[in-house]
Amino acid sequence: MVRRIDVTGADGARLAAWEFADPPKGRSEADRAPGVLLLHGLMGRASHWAPTARWLSERHRAVGLDQRGHGRSDKPADGPYSRDAYVSDAEAAIEQLGLGPVTVIGHAMGALTGWQLAAKRPDLVRALVVCDMRASALGAASQREWGDWFDSWPLPFATLADVRKWFGEDDPWVERPSPSRGEFYAEVMAEREDGWRPVFSRGQMLRTRATWVYDAHWEELTQVRCPTLVLRGLDGELGRAEAQEMVRVLPRGQYAEVPDAGHLVHYDQPEGWRAAVEPFLDQLAEDDRAEREGRAEQEDRGGQEDRGGQEDRGGQDDRAEHDDRAEQEDRGGQDGRDDRDGQDDREPVAP
């Protein structure tokens, strides 16, 4: 099952968070299910994570966030759609939902939000999965290409089947037919009076994208101290050389790739995606378990040392008391002998 939880983001924006299973009941604070925050990419929505959330929910509290301008969250006409706003929204969601310290799994734009948040608030982010997002600047030409691409959409679509066909086959950006891509875009369409249109504003998407494409983000990446998995599809937008360089600059970076997957890795190859991500999460769980056991062992040793110290002090006190009594008895015996000796030394009284 899934339930919606509204949270308040930066500047009061109402954001829709989606919890994909009931939170486990009867768990103590120390034994609560570890939180996972799922952040979609540009034009995405939280429901794109549903297949991932199903297997995550077996051992985690999995929450997907419709980021501002997307899904069921607010789409303020005047924004802001800045990087600071997106990062602050994620920060607010984690704190209001009690997820932290959390593992952030982000795709594309969501991955960038994740590593900027991890750099800003290391106390909130336990670990990070960066899926198919570049750290290098993409430049003005890339932004112009996106504007032209948005203009090429044959809106409105008459049916959802038309949506799937255009984005999965007819789109000039499609190199070979991709049913998963068609399904991805069908999920972000809504039926209007004149046909099917996107649930987002293409203009707002361009404004959002403009806040990151002109700049590189390597410096922020080096500030991420938590374990981080950099993952790419072999046919995605993040090349192997750049991905491996990202791993190199990350203090605790790891690398994985999924064969036969493009940019939409978790949609193209859901089993391959799980096979790449799950071992990373399992290792985190093992590390957390070892850390808890280590703390418990230290506490046990500390308690034993305290008890031992108290016993030693008690024994010392007993011995000191015994020695004091013995000394007093010795002094008493000597005084008695001295008194008797004094009596013997007194001159005899004349008869």
Side-chain angles (χ1 to χ4, degrees):
M1 64 177 295
V2 64
R3 67 184 182 119
R4 173 176 171 166
I5 309 170
D6 284 347
V7 299
T8 303
D11 301 320
R14 182 187 54 80
L15 307 173
W18 303 89
E19 187 159 7
F20 289 95
D22 287 333
K25 295 181 174 65
R27 286 178 179 261
S28 67
E29 180 66 19
D31 193 39
R32 66 188 179 97
V36 174
L37 181 66
L38 299 156
L39 296 177
H40 59 74
L42 190 72
M43 301 179 293
R45 64 188 308 170
S47 60
H48 281 146
W49 291 112
T52 296
R54 289 190 190 101
W55 58 263
L56 278 175
S57 296
E58 296 171 6
R59 288 185 292 173
H60 300 81
R61 184 186 174 197
V63 176
L65 180 68
D66 279 338
Q67 298 179 78
R68 62 175 52 223
H70 297 76
R72 296 295 183 89
S73 289
D74 281 351
K75 304 169 180 63
D78 298 328
Y81 292 100
S82 64
R83 283 284 82 218
D84 285 344
Y86 278 95
V87 172
S88 295
D89 286 347
E91 181 180 358
I94 294 168
E95 291 182 327
Q96 291 173 38
L97 296 172
L99 286 173
V102 70
T103 296
V104 177
I105 299 179
H107 174 248
M109 178 192 75
L112 176 59
T113 300
W115 87 60
Q116 289 177 328
L117 175 62
K120 176 186 177 184
R121 290 290 306 274
D123 58 309
L124 286 184
V125 182
R126 166 71 181 89
L128 180 64
V129 176
V130 172
C131 180
D132 217 61
M133 180 63 189
R134 299 183 62 183
S136 298
L138 302 180
S142 171
Q143 189 72 347
R144 286 194 299 271
E145 290 172 0
W146 271 70
D148 293 341
W149 179 59
F150 277 142
D151 289 340
S152 74
W153 290 17
L155 295 175
F157 292 98
T159 67
L160 277 180
D162 291 337
V163 173
R164 295 185 181 97
K165 185 175 186 303
W166 195 84
F167 286 101
E169 300 177 24
D170 300 339
D171 183 349
W173 282 14
V174 174
E175 296 180 357
R176 61 177 183 268
S178 174
S180 61
R181 190 173 188 268
E183 290 296 335
F184 182 94
Y185 283 96
E187 201 162 334
V188 293
M189 296 289 163
E191 190 173 17
R192 312 296 185 192
E193 290 183 359
D194 60 347
W196 292 84
R197 293 181 176 274
V199 298
F200 50 79
S201 159
R202 289 171 294 167
Q204 289 177 355
M205 296 301 99
L206 281 175
R207 287 167 57 190
T208 296
R209 194 172 184 274
T211 64
W212 84 73
V213 296
Y214 300 111
D215 301 312
H217 304 282
W218 292 97
E219 183 177 354
E220 293 155 310
L221 199 63
T222 64
Q223 298 170 12
V224 176
R225 300 298 172 187
C226 63
T228 302
L229 177 66
V230 177
L231 188 151
R232 60 180 287 269
L234 286 185
D235 299 319
E237 296 179 8
L238 176 61
R240 179 179 287 130
E242 183 172 352
Q244 291 178 341
E245 180 63 12
M246 290 168 68
V247 171
R248 189 189 69 80
V249 304
L250 281 161
R252 302 173 68 183
Q254 301 177 39
Y255 175 76
E257 58 186 27
V258 178
D260 301 319
H263 179 58
L264 305 174
V265 183
H266 53 304
Y267 246 64
D268 291 342
Q269 295 294 335
E271 292 304 318
W273 159 257
R274 179 175 182 174
V277 172
E278 199 164 30
F280 175 73
L281 299 178
D282 288 345
Q283 185 59 54
L284 290 176
E286 182 60 33
D287 292 345
D288 286 345
R289 187 160 46 248
E291 184 178 344
R292 287 195 303 271
E293 290 174 354
R295 282 199 305 268
E297 186 176 344
Q298 287 180 345
E299 290 171 0
D300 287 344
R301 283 203 302 268
Q304 290 171 357
E305 289 172 359
D306 288 343
R307 289 192 297 274
Q310 290 172 356
E311 290 171 358
D312 287 344
R313 286 194 299 274
Q316 291 171 358
D317 292 343
D318 289 344
R319 287 194 298 273
E321 184 178 349
H322 178 271
D323 292 344
D324 286 345
R325 285 200 303 270
E327 184 177 349
Q328 289 172 357
E329 290 171 359
D330 286 346
R331 281 201 303 270
Q334 290 174 356
D335 290 345
R337 287 192 299 272
D338 289 346
D339 289 343
R340 287 191 298 275
D341 290 344
Q343 291 172 358
D344 293 342
D345 290 343
R346 286 196 295 272
E347 294 180 359
V349 179

